Amino acid sequence: MDTVLFIVFAAVAVACAVNLILQKHPISSALSLVGVMGSLAVLYLLLGAEFMAVTQIVVYAGAVMVLFVFVIMLLNTGQETGGGKSWFAQVAGLPLLLAFIALMGLLICGPLMPRLRAVQFGSWHGGTARAIGRAIFTDYLLPFEVTSVLVLIAILGAVVLARKEID
Amino acid sequence: MTTVSPLHYLIVSAVLLVIGTLGVLLRRNIVVILMSIELILNAVNINLVAFSHLHRQVNGQAFVLFVMAVAVAEAAVGLGILIALFRNRGTVLADEMDLLKW
């Protein structure tokens, strides 16, 4: 059951991600990104991270995607026409991409994985709101407070940048 | 392959990372580029949650929370910059914004 769920939702996530960069219209890309976020929430649930799954849905599929769709509608950008790709990029890009994938595969399947135990749903209940709240408000209290300053700066920056008289 | 190990989650994460990088490099619309950056940050989050499950420690999920906060802040500021750029230049295509290009 776990394996089936993992395969289905990992495949949905990858398919939606591919669709994201293949679609010509930004709204289609945004809907694909919602699919990726929802599938990732299910993967978090399978890993026992319940609070992270809910946060993923609320923050990403809710807030961030509404922001993206809002901007797409506001700017009214139409379909994207194919641009001129550089000759050098086409020649040099593919070997570099293959080298990057090979290096990452080597790292993942190599010495980075100490010991593999199977991921079973319900085998670990560490991702509850209680445990994460305890970690955030004791061990990571200072980063948490710094994050609030960061969010405040982001709010101010967004308000100043999107104001009417910008020039 | 009857059981799923954290290795498989890392592979999904790597695939999403490569796809997001391709989106950043290949697309011209800045909104789609920002979406691809969100995809890359989500790939990182899968890694953190998978290692959190592997080591049975909750610290990785606390990091995921911080990554989410940074991603949301980045999206808000990036889209604000994009609106300002569109108001001044009338385009959202990355290769038509060449004011700083020599």
Side-chain angles (χ1 to χ4, degrees):
Chain A
M1 184 64 185
D2 296 346
T3 312
V4 174
L5 276 178
F6 171 77
I7 290 173
V8 167
F9 282 99
V12 168
V14 171
C16 285
V18 170
N19 196 36
L20 190 155
I21 66 169
L22 286 186
Q23 288 290 333
K24 287 295 174 197
H25 204 282
I27 281 292
S28 311
S29 299
L31 290 178
S32 306
L33 192 55
V34 173
V36 176
M37 302 300 181
S39 314
L40 292 192
V42 178
L43 292 190
Y44 291 166
L45 265 186
L46 288 177
L47 282 168
E50 305 149 12
F51 182 70
M52 282 306 129
V54 176
T55 313
Q56 172 89 4
I57 293 289
V58 171
V59 173
Y60 272 121
V64 175
M65 292 321 296
V66 166
L67 190 65
F68 272 110
V69 172
F70 197 75
V71 169
I72 291 170
M73 295 295 183
L74 199 62
L75 298 186
N76 193 17
T77 66
Q79 290 205 348
E80 176 182 332
T81 55
K85 304 253 186 329
S86 109
W87 171 84
F88 175 75
Q90 281 188 345
V91 174
L94 198 60
L96 280 177
L97 177 68
L98 290 180
F100 179 64
I101 293 175
L103 191 65
M104 205 152 49
L106 203 67
L107 279 176
I108 286 177
C109 304
L112 269 191
M113 294 305 293
R115 57 195 189 286
L116 295 173
R117 69 178 109 187
V119 174
Q120 283 172 342
F121 181 61
S123 66
W124 182 58
H125 284 293
T128 58
R130 174 194 292 267
I132 292 174
R134 193 178 294 274
I136 282 178
F137 290 114
T138 56
D139 293 342
Y140 299 105
L141 184 60
L142 181 64
F144 182 72
E145 299 294 340
V146 174
T147 304
S148 69
V149 177
L150 173 78
V151 171
L152 178 66
I153 295 172
I155 293 171
L156 289 179
V159 168
V160 168
L161 280 169
R163 223 175 30 178
K164 186 71 179 173
E165 52 279 349
I166 189 69
D167 49 3
Chain B
M1 190 181 69
T2 55
T3 62
V4 179
S5 69
L7 179 66
H8 300 104
Y9 287 90
L10 294 196
I11 292 172
V12 173
S13 161
V15 170
L16 288 183
L17 184 97
V18 169
I19 293 172
T21 312
L22 282 178
V24 170
L25 293 177
L26 291 180
R27 294 301 299 263
R28 301 166 68 219
N29 196 329
I30 294 187
V31 180
V32 182
I33 291 178
L34 283 173
M35 284 188 217
S36 302
I37 293 174
E38 296 291 324
L39 193 62
I40 293 173
L41 289 167
N42 271 282
V44 174
N45 284 350
I46 303 178
N47 261 352
L48 287 171
V49 176
F51 278 116
S52 163
H53 185 276
L54 179 69
H55 294 290
R56 296 287 195 265
Q57 284 192 347
V58 82
N59 297 352
Q61 298 180 22
F63 284 153
V64 171
L65 216 54
F66 294 130
V67 172
M68 277 184 186
V70 172
V72 171
E74 171 258 332
V77 174
L79 291 172
I81 292 175
L82 182 60
I83 290 176
L85 268 174
F86 184 76
R87 191 176 290 137
N88 282 344
R89 311 270 301 165
T91 179
V92 291
L93 298 183
D95 53 355
E96 290 179 9
M97 294 172 182
D98 49 3
L99 206 61
L100 287 179
K101 200 182 272 183
W102 181 51

